[in-house]
Amino acid sequence: MIVQFGTSRFLQAHVDLFASEARDAGQDVPGITIVQTTDDPVRARRLAAFADPAGFPVIVRGLEDGAAVERTLRVRSVVGGLQAHADADALRTLLTGPATHVVSNTGDVGFRDGSFVAILLAGLYARWQAGAAGLTLLPCELVSRNGDELRAAVIAAAEGRAPAFVAWLGEECRWINTLVDRIVSAPLEPAGAVAEPYALWAIERQPGLTLPFTNPAIVLTDDLEPFERLKLHILNLGHSWLAERWQAAGARAGTTVREALDDRATRAALDEVLTQEVIPGFAARGLENEARGYAATTIERFANPYLDHLLRDIHAHHAQKVEKRIAAFVRWVDEGAVQPPAMPQLRALAARYDV
């Protein structure tokens, strides 16, 4: 059994869909039980839909090799849903018995306010008391080294518990770092989602790791950093670069990423910064081919005719995003390159928000 913490549309169009595709391909995939970690009544309405044996739809819309595609897939990997507090006994039964893997996407908040960590800790403590083997945990939160972060948070929350339990957490459970990459643009009611064709779940190898299923979108790797850098410093950097240009041009309400790329001058300027600054930066760190391929894919994703990604939303917390996506890229290139490229636009943008 896979226990999934989080009812998000992202997980429905990512992990749940991958598991369903694996099952359709003939793999012996354990069922997924989805756990709502909040008391949000809107999300609670999804739980009943998750128990429908007919499954729920995921609509894949976007560009593949330049051609527009749209297809509806049926996700049948989910066997039911629970509410963490109202169904605490049922959740405990799952976690002390049939569960083998845990996946999660509770957002940064779930890590940092302790709500998800407390729920998970209670379940793991009950499992340890029952004498069961450790679990494999595959967090999908957008937190760097998310497996390490979750392990540290749970062990910190276990302070004061039996030392043998704390040792079991660290030694018997497997806390796996992963990176997820897919734009899931809209929810469907009562369950389901609309997603782009591109999808990636990069999972860091660890001794003894056994995955519950395989899928073409899943990549096992000894090193997550290249995947993290490509996403952060091409996809996310491109978004923030477009948001900066949008703000400087007057911040017209309602402008989307796709509309920005429809403007020939903007598209040419983005192509220039990618080819003249971003890709040379990656080349200086030995990732030129990977960067060229990912940049081409990113432009196709930005041009998705079905996705309305507002630049206003991307511009939120802009200074912090520039620091993480652009200034950090410049530092990473400078620290590891024998002869760092000039990157004048990126350096100027980073300096503009340097505090």
Side-chain angles (χ1 to χ4, degrees), residues 285-348:
R285 295 298 306 254
L287 291 169
E288 180 176 1
N289 290 337
E290 293 86 346
R292 287 190 183 280
Y294 193 81
T297 299
T298 294
I299 292 297
E300 189 169 69
R301 295 170 73 185
F302 283 1
N304 187 336
Y306 302 106
L307 180 61
D308 294 325
H309 198 169
L310 292 172
L311 287 171
R312 177 195 64 204
D313 294 342
I314 293 171
H315 195 269
H317 310 293
H318 185 58
Q320 297 95 312
K321 290 177 179 176
V322 168
E323 161 58 30
K324 186 175 181 180
R325 300 171 175 184
I326 297 171
F329 176 65
V330 171
R331 291 195 299 271
W332 177 68
V333 172
D334 286 349
E335 290 164 3
V338 176
Q339 291 184 314
M343 301 187 293
Q345 293 188 62
L346 296 181
R347 292 183 190 278

Side-chain angles (χ1 to χ4, degrees), residues 22-257:
R23 178 175 288 187
D24 291 343
Q27 296 181 41
D28 184 14
V29 180
I32 299 172
T33 296
I34 296 179
V35 181
Q36 179 191 352
T37 59
T38 70
D39 296 321
D40 183 352
V42 174
R43 292 179 182 267
R45 287 196 288 271
R46 298 177 186 169
L47 296 182
F50 291 145
D52 185 346
F56 55 82
V58 169
I59 301 172
V60 175
R61 292 174 175 161
L63 297 176
E64 287 183 328
D65 298 324
V69 298
E70 179 172 352
R71 54 184 177 268
T72 299
L73 308 172
R74 204 80 196 172
V75 175
R76 298 185 179 88
S77 55
V78 177
V79 298
L82 301 173
Q83 205 285 328
H85 300 112
D87 301 313
D89 290 342
L91 176 57
R92 186 180 303 109
T93 298
L94 283 182
L95 289 174
T96 57
T100 57
H101 295 76
V102 168
V103 298
S104 64
N105 185 17
T106 60
D108 292 8
V109 173
F111 269 40
R112 299 197 172 112
D113 73 0
S115 56
F116 163 54
V117 170
I119 294 168
L120 180 59
L121 176 62
L124 291 173
Y125 186 67
R127 187 176 179 89
W128 172 75
Q129 288 183 310
L135 290 173
T136 296
L137 298 101
L138 296 154
C140 297
E141 285 82 358
L142 295 176
V143 175
S144 181
R145 310 294 298 173
N146 47 20
D148 294 342
E149 289 289 328
L150 183 58
R151 178 182 183 273
V154 171
I155 289 178
E159 184 178 0
R161 306 250 185 171
F165 169 59
V166 177
W168 179 87
L169 288 173
E171 298 168 9
E172 298 299 323
C173 292
R174 292 182 175 86
W175 308 83
I176 311 300
N177 296 307
T178 83
L179 177 136
V180 297
D181 191 359
R182 180 171 231 175
I183 298 171
V184 182
S185 57
L188 299 175
E189 297 298 338
V194 180
E196 65 171 339
Y198 180 88
L200 171 70
W201 192 10
I203 298 174
E204 189 175 69
R205 284 190 184 91
Q206 191 180 112
L209 170 63
T210 301
L211 296 180
F213 55 86
T214 62
N215 186 282
I218 296 176
V219 176
L220 273 173
T221 178
D222 293 321
D223 186 7
L224 274 183
E225 185 181 9
F227 296 92
E228 293 174 336
R229 292 289 181 181
L230 290 168
K231 180 182 178 184
L232 184 62
H233 302 318
I234 295 181
L235 180 80
N236 298 143
L237 178 150
H239 275 152
S240 287
W241 186 91
L242 287 170
E244 173 74 11
R245 186 180 176 94
W246 166 81
Q247 176 68 29
R252 184 172 65 85
T255 303
T256 66
V257 171

